[in-house]
Amino acid sequence: MDVKKLMSDLEAKHPGEKEYLQAVHEVLESVSEIYDQHPEFAKAKIIERMVEPDRVFTFRVTWVDDKGEVQTNLGYRVQFNGAIGPYKGGLRFHKAVNVSMLKFLGFEQTFKNALTTLPMGGGKGGSDFDPVGKSDAEIMRFCQAFMLELWRIVGKDTDVPAGDVGVGGREIGYMYGMYTKLAREYNVGVLTGKGMTWGGSKIRPEATGFGALYFVQHMLEKAGKDIKGKKLALSGFGNVAWGAALKTLELGGKVVAISGPDGVCEMPDGITPEMIDYMLEMRASNRNKVEDMATKFPGKAKFTAGKKAWSVKCDIALPCAFQNECNGDDAKELLKNGCWAVAEVSNMGCTPEAIKAFQDAKILFAPGKAVNAGGVATSGLEMTQNAMHISWTEEEVDKNLHQIMHSIHEACVKFGTKKDGYINYVDGANIAGFMKVAQAMLEQGTI
Ligand code: 2IT
């Protein structure tokens, strides 16, 4: 595979789509060798087909704010790859959302979903709507206006969105309400992350964070280590960081930092259950400030403006917020402070420079598409329960989630172990996901 040529062709075709090109480049680097061992892939032009989304929808979303002013945002749904099942992936509401960001996320989602062992294709969507500072009524009106367009695109067997950054249970509820009104279809399978009284799955809210910690447990176990008593630094304070903090405590680890766009909260004695509960209020307030934690718990959390979680001394770092939130300089600082394991819980949380620094230092590093796959996997379990018109118990869902994370870890080890014994989890995840999607595309012919 000529990675350079493929990349320069893509750059010419999609100039300026930075995040998308970054995500594609990483996968091409990982799969290049195995691709060349399978001439049937090149013959069918699998890679040239796989890097392009099946289709991209763009639409206008117009709504009225609390002052009575008319607002217009852009809405998107990227149906990236449907080879192994209906499109599946979250909706992101964030002011920086654009086609490049959603294409990168849809591309990553395709491989992630393949890793879950469940039959789900890759998709992603969202809007440049900025939830920061918005009232609950504004959130509702925006979600309803967004669904006025989205409902024609999605469906339980075609495309099943869920939450992502800026979209949680509340937003899914408002969108679902509008969907049933428009489609007059009360089948609960069209969105996941639903409420517990209308088709949601137990453990789905916690699943991304819980799954990440299960993955970390397997990774540590394989390296002969244990999470008990270890210090963890987390970025963000949203749904993902919340679930990760809950499970960390349960497993005997100590969360010593969380962060936000405004700075970092350091907690030398570790986060407490009350503080973890408060993270939910912080998210719901739409203030987007981690400083609120230090204001609420003055003796326990110390806020420093303008600093990242990576400035706090830790054993294990968990990026839980946004793409490229940990860069080469951050990686150097983490390594200098003795950090020996990094697991991306956000999608593409580390820059290529940061990943290289971790891998050169031979510390444990695992990528988002493996670590955070528990979220979408549990969405898949929600779809299964919806299709069967039943609800599983917490124990049943958690057991399935555990098994899935175990099998993802195994797949990474199988495809990522190098001659010297070092496990390159990035290669492992990319190759395992790629092989499954490539095989499906090959068997379905040239379409
Ligand atoms: O990035 C992700 O995997 C998600 N935001 C969850 C997607 C889903 O469909 O549950």
Side-chain angles (χ1 to χ4, degrees), residues 88-91 105 109 112-113 124 160-165 192 204 208 347 372-373 375-377 379:
K88 181 84 197 84
L91 297 168
L105 288 163
Q109 196 81 44
K112 182 199 307 192
N113 293 3
K124 205 86 191 187
V160 183
D164 193 79
V165 174
T192 61
R204 177 63 190 91
T208 310
N347 292 307
N372 73 30
V376 73
S379 277

Side-chain angles (χ1 to χ4, degrees), residues 34 410-418 424 427-429 431-433 435:
I34 203 157
E410 297 275 286
C412 289
V413 172
K414 177 176 169 200
F415 288 104
T417 305
K418 302 291 165 185
N424 185 325
D427 284 355
I431 295 170
M435 289 303 278

Side-chain angles (χ1 to χ4, degrees), residues 35-250:
Y35 195 80
D36 293 337
Q37 293 161 8
H38 291 266
E40 67 276 19
F41 290 161
K43 188 160 174 278
K45 295 274 196 299
I46 291 290
I47 206 69
E48 288 84 348
R49 291 158 59 191
M50 207 185 268
V51 298
E52 294 291 350
D54 289 351
R55 60 194 73 80
V56 178
F57 297 92
T58 311
F59 46 90
R60 173 177 56 78
V61 183
T62 294
W63 55 287
V64 181
D65 69 16
D66 285 350
K67 294 193 214 92
E69 264 176 49
V70 176
Q71 301 284 349
T72 288
N73 287 99
L74 297 174
Y76 307 91
R77 186 70 184 167
V78 177
Q79 296 183 336
F80 213 101
N81 190 301
I84 67 171
Y87 303 102
K88 181 84 197 84
L91 297 168
R92 178 173 289 195
F93 293 171
H94 188 279
K95 61 179 190 293
V97 160
N98 57 26
V99 170
S100 168
M101 198 191 291
L102 296 178
K103 276 172 65 182
F104 121 61
L105 288 163
F107 182 74
E108 294 268 304
Q109 196 81 44
T110 300
F111 302 102
K112 182 199 307 192
N113 293 3
L115 287 172
T116 65
T117 70
L118 304 173
M120 301 183 290
K124 205 86 191 187
S127 174
D128 61 357
F129 171 75
D130 182 5
V132 178
K134 298 293 189 295
S135 71
D136 186 64
E138 287 175 324
I139 300 270
M140 181 171 78
R141 286 196 296 275
F142 176 79
C143 288
Q144 291 174 337
F146 185 79
M147 192 46 94
L148 281 176
E149 282 290 334
L150 192 73
W151 80 283
R152 289 193 182 279
I153 300 166
V154 297
K156 69 179 170 59
D157 294 319
T158 49
D159 186 350
V160 183
D164 193 79
V165 174
V167 178
R170 168 180 53 180
E171 291 77 11
I172 292 293
Y174 294 148
M175 284 190 268
Y176 182 77
M178 192 52 139
Y179 180 85
T180 57
K181 192 94 184 153
L182 292 164
R184 294 196 187 172
E185 206 185 82
Y186 303 90
N187 192 316
V188 287
V190 69
L191 294 169
T192 61
K194 298 185 290 293
M196 295 305 148
T197 58
W198 40 282
S201 172
K202 300 263 169 51
I203 307 282
R204 177 63 190 91
E206 296 87 350
T208 310
F210 278 21
L213 266 294
Y214 296 153
F215 190 95
V216 168
Q217 263 190 313
H218 285 299
M219 181 164 79
L220 262 50
E221 193 189 348
K222 181 90 189 151
K225 293 176 190 285
D226 189 354
I227 196 170
K228 280 205 182 64
K230 301 301 181 308
K231 291 182 180 162
L232 281 83
L234 275 57
S235 60
F237 58 87
N239 169 262
V240 171
W242 167 75
L246 271 179
K247 196 47 98 177
T248 299
L249 242 63
E250 200 185 305

Side-chain angles (χ1 to χ4, degrees), residues 249-317:
L249 242 63
E250 200 185 305
L251 298 176
K254 199 159 137 182
V255 176
V256 293
I258 57 168
S259 65
D262 52 333
V264 65
C265 265
E266 222 175 308
M267 300 156 295
D269 297 326
I271 204 165
T272 62
E274 301 75 50
M275 294 163 94
I276 297 176
D277 281 350
Y278 188 62
M279 286 164 84
L280 294 176
E281 278 182 54
M282 286 162 66
R283 151 79 176 73
S285 78
N286 285 340
R287 280 168 52 81
N288 209 20
K289 282 194 166 146
V290 80
E291 187 178 5
D292 291 357
M293 183 63 87
T295 313
K296 178 92 178 165
F297 299 93
K300 293 182 178 157
K302 187 175 136 261
F303 174 72
T304 311
K307 284 267 186 195
K308 295 187 187 180
W310 323 132
S311 62
V312 177
K313 199 171 154 39
C314 66
D315 299 295
I316 301 166

